[in-house]
Amino acid sequence: QLTMSLNSSTLLNEENSQGPKRNTECLECLELQTPSSFQDNPLQQLKLASQEVLEKAKKSGRSKCPRCSSSRMFYCYPCFVPVETVPTKEIPAVKLPLKIDIIKHPNETDGKSTAVHAKLLAPDDVTIYKYPCIPEYEEKRHEIALIFPGPNSVSVKDIAFHLQKYTKKGVYDNDDDCSREPFLKQAKVEPKEEEKNLNECISSKRSEGTRLKKIIFIDSTWNQTNKIITDERLQGLLQIELKTRKTCFWRHQKGKPDTYLSTIEAIYYFLVDYHQEILKENYKGQYDNLLFFFSFMYTLIKNAKCCAGKE
């Protein structure tokens, strides 16, 4: 589920069994079509930066990675950098409201993973770890959550409420700044107002103590997640499930519900919900560019399937 191939020629070969001639026809067809050709494209309403740089890179073919010199399409997935034909300055930079850790299964194929999109587009806020090399989260459980479906998972809107039970002991003990000096010593404060001020201060401390600062995502096929999700370092973390979104991923795994998202989709939809439900702000496309590569590949593959007569 959480995989992606970057080589358009390879993708066409995988999807098309009609031989070289048909593949050539498909490539010619691709040159004539644009995203607007598909009115049912669920990603077409995104507010994205110009994808002209990706169109040019597609036409010129594979290029070298500036770090390891490997031949890649669009970007180098082990190095987390774009190739020479895709200048970094032409790729959008997305600023996230919290930090993201992605835990990648060791058997997950680099070239098929969408996790690298997040690192490319939000490099300052995203860190990718290859399991079993992951951080210890025990001391910061009160500010971290794990995106993973399950019987104990909660919705995004309930994050603050459920994080309270993970708050560190003493965050709003009697010796904190709120109650260090008795309110009665302050001039002309009525008892009711005193109680109100104390409650407001405690509420403020509680809010500060339960503020979400980091989200963890697992980058793996769904059949491989058990090894990671049962790791003792992830036990006890608040789990969040995105129940209302449906995947657009072209490698959707058979037998799994369409609410099981690819990694980059999960990150994007979580942030949209977080922005609206937790930050209480109108969403105006601030994180849409996280799907900069994903939406381009979606259109490319959909066009190829259309040309091949599969849709």
Side-chain angles (χ1 to χ4, degrees), residues 95-148:
K95 181 61 180 175
L96 307 184
L98 37 68
K99 300 298 182 181
I100 288 178
D101 281 0
I102 300 175
I103 301 175
K104 187 176 179 296
H105 192 284
N107 294 335
E108 180 70 359
T109 304
D110 288 339
K112 296 180 179 180
S113 172
T114 63
V116 65
H117 297 183
K119 183 62 178 176
L120 283 163
L121 298 164
D124 295 336
D125 297 317
V126 176
T127 304
I128 298 179
Y129 298 93
K130 180 169 286 190
Y131 187 83
C133 298
I134 65 175
E136 295 285 349
Y137 295 109
E138 176 67 24
E139 294 299 315
K140 295 186 177 181
R141 286 193 304 167
H142 61 292
E143 58 187 36
I144 298 176
L146 171 67
I147 302 295
F148 197 81

Side-chain angles (χ1 to χ4, degrees), residues 275-292:
H275 194 86
Q276 296 172 322
E277 300 288 350
I278 304 300
L279 300 183
K280 302 297 183 182
E281 297 178 10
N282 291 330
Y283 182 69
K284 299 180 180 180
Q286 291 91 331
Y287 316 121
D288 282 11
N289 275 320
L290 285 174
L291 297 180
F292 180 75

Side-chain angles (χ1 to χ4, degrees), residues 78-91:
C79 298
F80 307 139
V81 294
V83 295
E84 293 177 347
T85 54
V86 184
T88 302
K89 63 181 181 180
E90 294 188 42
I91 295 178

Side-chain angles (χ1 to χ4, degrees), residues 78 114 155 169 180 203 246:
T114 63
S155 63
K169 183 178 180 181
R180 185 166 295 162
S203 176
K246 293 184 178 181

Side-chain angles (χ1 to χ4, degrees), residues 39-272:
Q39 297 302 317
D40 60 339
N41 183 347
L43 305 176
Q44 65 182 354
Q45 300 302 319
L46 296 172
K47 296 180 180 179
L48 297 173
S50 172
Q51 294 176 322
E52 183 179 358
V53 63
L54 300 183
E55 288 287 355
K56 291 180 179 179
K58 174 172 71 85
K59 292 178 181 178
S60 61
R62 298 168 71 91
S63 181
K64 284 186 178 182
C65 167
R67 291 187 182 176
C68 68
S69 297
S70 297
S71 177
R72 309 290 187 192
M73 193 73 175
F74 303 131
Y75 54 79
C76 183
Y77 29 86
C79 298
F80 307 139
V81 294
V83 295
E84 293 177 347
T85 54
V86 184
T88 302
K89 63 181 181 180
E90 294 188 42
I91 295 178
V94 185
K95 181 61 180 175
L96 307 184
L98 37 68
K99 300 298 182 181
I100 288 178
D101 281 0
I102 300 175
I103 301 175
K104 187 176 179 296
H105 192 284
N107 294 335
E108 180 70 359
T109 304
D110 288 339
K112 296 180 179 180
S113 172
T114 63
V116 65
H117 297 183
K119 183 62 178 176
L120 283 163
L121 298 164
D124 295 336
D125 297 317
V126 176
T127 304
I128 298 179
Y129 298 93
K130 180 169 286 190
Y131 187 83
C133 298
I134 65 175
E136 295 285 349
Y137 295 109
E138 176 67 24
E139 294 299 315
K140 295 186 177 181
R141 286 193 304 167
H142 61 292
E143 58 187 36
I144 298 176
L146 171 67
I147 302 295
F148 197 81
N152 298 319
S153 298
V154 304
S155 63
V156 174
K157 67 179 180 180
D158 294 326
I159 289 176
F161 173 78
H162 288 279
L163 273 182
Q164 290 182 20
K165 63 183 178 181
Y166 298 115
T167 303
K168 283 185 176 181
K169 183 178 180 181
V171 168
Y172 33 85
D173 281 345
N174 290 333
D175 60 348
D176 64 26
D177 291 339
C178 287
S179 55
R180 185 166 295 162
E181 185 172 348
F183 278 99
L184 291 178
K185 289 185 179 181
Q186 299 176 10
K188 299 181 181 180
V189 177
E190 298 296 328
K192 289 185 179 180
E193 186 174 348
E194 168 194 329
E195 181 178 349
K196 178 182 177 181
N197 290 341
L198 180 58
N199 288 337
E200 287 178 352
C201 191
I202 291 177
S203 176
S204 176
K205 283 290 182 179
R206 180 179 290 115
S207 176
E208 180 182 345
T210 59
R211 186 178 63 180
L212 187 65
K213 295 182 180 179
K214 179 176 289 187
I215 284 288
I216 303 170
F217 293 84
I218 295 176
D219 184 49
S220 166
T221 59
W222 289 103
N223 292 332
Q224 295 175 334
T225 57
N226 188 62
K227 182 176 182 180
I228 296 178
I229 196 63
T230 56
D231 189 288
E232 61 179 6
R233 290 167 291 184
L234 299 180
Q235 301 311 300
L237 291 175
L238 177 65
Q239 288 186 204
I240 300 170
E241 183 172 2
L242 306 175
K243 301 179 181 180
T244 61
R245 309 292 189 174
K246 293 184 178 181
T247 185
C248 291
F249 196 37
W250 47 92
R251 292 182 180 275
H252 181 66
Q253 293 179 41
K254 294 181 180 179
K256 302 300 180 183
D258 57 6
T259 53
Y260 278 25
L261 307 171
S262 66
T263 302
I264 194 62
E265 287 179 300
I267 293 173
Y268 169 73
Y269 286 125
F270 167 79
L271 289 171
V272 172

